[in-house]
Amino acid sequence: MKKIITYTITAILTLSSITANAASIPRETTPLNATEEQTQIVESLIGDILDEVQADRLGYGLAAGYANTRIRKAVIANQTNGNGYGILSPIAQNAIRYYRDLLLRPDYYKQTEEKLRILLADLMIEVQNGKDYATAYDEARIIIYKAADASFNPDTDMVGDFCYWNIPPVDSAEFTVARKLLNEAHNTYLHK
């Protein structure tokens, strides 16, 4: 009987330490319609997979497959508090893609963050002083587009159905980094 209790306690402590050390999902990678609860559910399901991706022991394809399988099983077993596969899977995929991309292009992310800290400095100060995050993010996107092409005009180039917008090509990492910087500014505002 003592052996069973000892093994059970050891297993519980091992599992809890794995969960406590698992990688978190960067909030700047979540879909804009994802809630904090949904993000936490996905973190609890795939945190160890994110650890493997960050350590370069799993590529995107395998990591995405493992994550999708876990999420699908959790949804079918009704362990996701009513949240469906359609929102939980994109949260996982975005986080895996971000960590993989960050691993493959660390210098690009560093340069992009430096560039955007300068480009979005005034906007970040406004967010720190209480400006609405969603409005600030929309403005940041326009600033990024204008930096890529000075002739970009949102009043004429972003009209009608978005698939017909005439926007300059921009790496999606720039928008992720912009969200990260604006999130930091927003958190500064919330903790004043």
Side-chain angles (χ1 to χ4, degrees), residues 1-35:
M1 183 67 170
K2 284 185 177 180
K3 286 184 179 181
I4 294 173
I5 292 172
T6 304
Y7 289 131
T8 305
I9 291 173
T10 304
I12 290 171
L13 290 174
T14 302
L15 290 175
S16 66
S17 67
I18 289 171
T19 304
N21 296 328
S24 64
I25 293 176
R27 297 318 189 246
E28 61 268 16
T29 67
T30 60
L32 294 175
N33 62 331
T35 65

Side-chain angles (χ1 to χ4, degrees), residues 83-101:
N83 293 290
Y85 179 82
I87 187 64
L88 300 179
S89 178
I91 294 169
Q93 300 307 311
N94 288 357
I96 293 167
R97 189 176 301 111
Y98 169 76
Y99 280 132
R100 197 65 196 145
D101 197 33

Side-chain angles (χ1 to χ4, degrees), residues 91-118:
I91 294 169
Q93 300 307 311
N94 288 357
I96 293 167
R97 189 176 301 111
Y98 169 76
Y99 280 132
R100 197 65 196 145
D101 197 33
L102 186 61
L103 185 69
L104 296 172
R105 304 187 302 164
D107 292 338
Y108 178 76
Y109 275 84
K110 184 179 178 186
Q111 292 167 357
T112 299
E113 185 168 340
E114 291 170 0
K115 176 181 97 173
L116 291 179
R117 277 197 188 278
I118 295 167

Side-chain angles (χ1 to χ4, degrees):
M1 183 67 170
K2 284 185 177 180
K3 286 184 179 181
I4 294 173
I5 292 172
T6 304
Y7 289 131
T8 305
I9 291 173
T10 304
I12 290 171
L13 290 174
T14 302
L15 290 175
S16 66
S17 67
I18 289 171
T19 304
N21 296 328
S24 64
I25 293 176
R27 297 318 189 246
E28 61 268 16
T29 67
T30 60
L32 294 175
N33 62 331
T35 65
E36 182 61 26
E37 176 194 22
Q38 293 163 338
T39 304
Q40 290 173 356
I41 290 169
V42 175
E43 273 180 346
S44 69
L45 291 171
I46 69 156
D48 60 322
I49 294 172
L50 294 176
D51 285 337
E52 295 295 311
V53 171
Q54 285 181 310
D56 201 17
R57 290 189 292 261
L58 268 182
Y60 176 78
L62 279 176
Y66 293 154
N68 279 336
T69 300
R70 280 196 196 165
I71 291 169
R72 195 175 314 111
K73 286 180 178 179
V75 169
I76 290 170
N78 202 21
Q79 298 171 339
T80 59
N81 203 21
N83 293 290
Y85 179 82
I87 187 64
L88 300 179
S89 178
I91 294 169
Q93 300 307 311
N94 288 357
I96 293 167
R97 189 176 301 111
Y98 169 76
Y99 280 132
R100 197 65 196 145
D101 197 33
L102 186 61
L103 185 69
L104 296 172
R105 304 187 302 164
D107 292 338
Y108 178 76
Y109 275 84
K110 184 179 178 186
Q111 292 167 357
T112 299
E113 185 168 340
E114 291 170 0
K115 176 181 97 173
L116 291 179
R117 277 197 188 278
I118 295 167
L119 200 58
L120 304 176
D122 293 338
L123 196 54
M124 290 166 54
I125 291 170
E126 290 178 33
V127 171
Q128 287 174 348
N129 291 328
K131 183 174 188 144
D132 177 59
Y133 173 84
T135 304
Y137 180 61
D138 288 341
E139 290 177 19
R141 287 177 39 222
I142 291 171
I143 291 170
I144 291 168
Y145 286 137
K146 285 184 176 182
D149 180 359
S151 68
F152 174 75
N153 181 353
D155 297 330
T156 58
D157 296 333
M158 295 176 72
V159 178
D161 192 346
F162 76 91
C163 64
Y164 298 111
W165 289 359
N166 185 23
I167 55 176
V170 176
D171 191 319
S172 64
E174 291 196 34
F175 299 116
T176 302
V177 172
R179 284 182 67 191
K180 174 187 174 189
L181 296 174
L182 292 175
N183 280 339
E184 289 172 0
H186 189 251
N187 288 336
T188 300
Y189 169 71
L190 292 176
H191 293 99
K192 277 186 176 181

